[in-house]
């Protein structure tokens, strides 16, 4: 047997376990979801077995559904302020501040931040429920200043879930930026200082352009992690009050598993998948021209 053919067979042999898992747990469910999104399939009842194809009916219904539009807007707000801005800015700031600190302080701060990342979403939700609850830690603290209790989870539900997700996900961005900042050449920084650059010029003209690749990668990763986030929001507010914190994954769950409209719910999943892909391309194009 030719040497090149044996080499190819060996490569396929090494890759086959990963390829099988990807096909079984990614491509197959995605294709099934795509097929179901064009049907009137329900979770229970006659239509769960004898469903029929309805073309683009689920998609046209989705974009005329005011609740879906509201959940899409909530998703964009949640994504923008908790992940794209909150986690990245805080993660970069912590990485930058800790860059020149001693190892002991770096370990303490790093461990404290990492605790949020390794904590399960449901546990994070209960921690923030205890913090924002009417009789919780925050109101007890404010009571010391004579401030009346505030129903944070009812009056400021979106703010509560945004802060919870920032706390939970900042560690990932911090680790990414710690690694990127360690690769910024000291010569470039020293040359900028000698040329009279101030802190903002050093940041925006030297450091950020050098770590541009990490910024793009991190933005894509935190977006994809956040856009489908379900457990934290559902456990903390349940999507309420009303629909104030109902994001697309929450609304998709309600339609698929509460209203049993599986075809309609999978159509939302496809739109959410396409939305994530479009955002990824948008980030790559934007950073290429602006940073």
């Amino acid at each position: 047997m030719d040497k090149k053919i044996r080499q190819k067979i060996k490569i396929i042999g090494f890759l086959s376990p990963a390829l099988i898992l990807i096909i079984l747990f990614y491509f197959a469910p995605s294709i099934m979801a795509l097929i179901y999104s064009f049907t009137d399939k329900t979770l229970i009842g006659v239509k769960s077995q004898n469903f029929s194809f309805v073309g683009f009916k689920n998609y046209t219904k989705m974009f005329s559904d005011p609740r879906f539009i509201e959940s899409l807007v909530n998703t964009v707000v949640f994504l923008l302020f908790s992940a794209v801005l909150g986690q990245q800015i805080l993660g970069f700031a912590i990485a930058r501040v800790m860059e020149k600190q001693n190892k002991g302080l770096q370990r303490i701060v790093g461990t404290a931040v990492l605790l949020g990342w390794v904590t399960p979403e449901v546990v994070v939700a209960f921690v923030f429920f205890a913090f924002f609850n009417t009789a919780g830690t925050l109101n007890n603290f404010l009571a010391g200043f004579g401030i009346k209790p505030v129903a944070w989870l009812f009056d400021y539900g979106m703010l509560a879930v945004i802060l919870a997700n920032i706390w939970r996900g900042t560690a990932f961005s911090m680790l990414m930026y710690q690694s990127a900042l360690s690769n910024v050449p000291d010569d470039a920084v020293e040359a900028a200082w000698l040329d009279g650059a101030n802190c903002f010029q050093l940041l925006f003209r030297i450091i950020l352009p050098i770590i541009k690749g990490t910024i793009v990668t991190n933005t894509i990763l935190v977006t994809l992690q956040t856009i489908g986030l379900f457990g934290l929001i559902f456990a903390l507010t349940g999507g309420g009050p009303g629909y104030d914190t109902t994001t697309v994954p929450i609304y998709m769950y309600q339609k698929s598993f509460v209203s049993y409209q599986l075809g309609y719910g999978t159509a939302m999943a496809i739109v959410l998948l396409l939305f994530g892909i479009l955002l990824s391309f948008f980030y790559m194009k934007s950073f290429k021209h602006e940073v």
Side-chain angles (χ1 to χ4, degrees), residues 68-94:
F68 174 76
I69 301 299
E70 186 178 0
S71 69
L72 189 60
V73 172
N74 286 340
T75 302
V76 172
V77 171
F78 178 68
L79 174 66
L80 178 64
F81 289 101
S82 73
V84 177
L85 294 178
Q87 290 180 10
Q88 291 218 93
I89 292 175
L90 187 58
F92 178 82
I94 294 173

Side-chain angles (χ1 to χ4, degrees), residues 133-204:
N133 190 24
T134 308
T137 309
L138 182 57
N139 278 334
N140 287 331
F141 175 76
L142 295 176
F145 299 94
I147 300 174
K148 294 182 179 178
V150 179
W152 297 102
L153 294 174
F154 187 83
D155 296 334
Y156 305 98
M158 181 56 77
L159 178 63
V161 294
I162 285 173
L163 292 176
N165 194 44
I166 290 174
W167 184 81
R168 189 189 67 88
T170 293
F172 181 80
S173 295
M174 183 194 73
L175 293 173
M176 291 285 287
Y177 288 126
Q178 273 183 336
S179 175
L181 289 172
S182 66
N183 292 322
V184 176
D186 291 336
D187 293 347
V189 176
E190 291 171 5
W193 286 126
L194 290 174
D195 287 341
N198 57 38
C199 292
F200 288 102
Q201 289 171 329
L202 177 67
L203 177 64
F204 288 103

Side-chain angles (χ1 to χ4, degrees), residues 6 47 183 236 251:
R6 287 203 303 271
K47 289 290 183 181
N183 292 322
L236 187 57
Y251 193 55

Side-chain angles (χ1 to χ4, degrees), residues 32-75:
M32 290 300 294
L34 182 63
I35 294 171
Y36 286 157
S37 71
F38 293 103
T39 70
D40 58 357
K41 182 175 177 59
T42 58
L43 194 63
I44 59 173
V46 178
K47 289 290 183 181
S48 65
Q49 297 296 327
N50 300 315
F51 56 89
S52 53
F53 284 89
V54 294
F56 287 92
K57 185 179 178 181
N58 286 328
Y59 292 92
T60 55
K61 175 184 175 184
M62 193 187 312
F63 288 102
S64 61
D65 181 353
R67 296 301 183 197
F68 174 76
I69 301 299
E70 186 178 0
S71 69
L72 189 60
V73 172
N74 286 340
T75 302

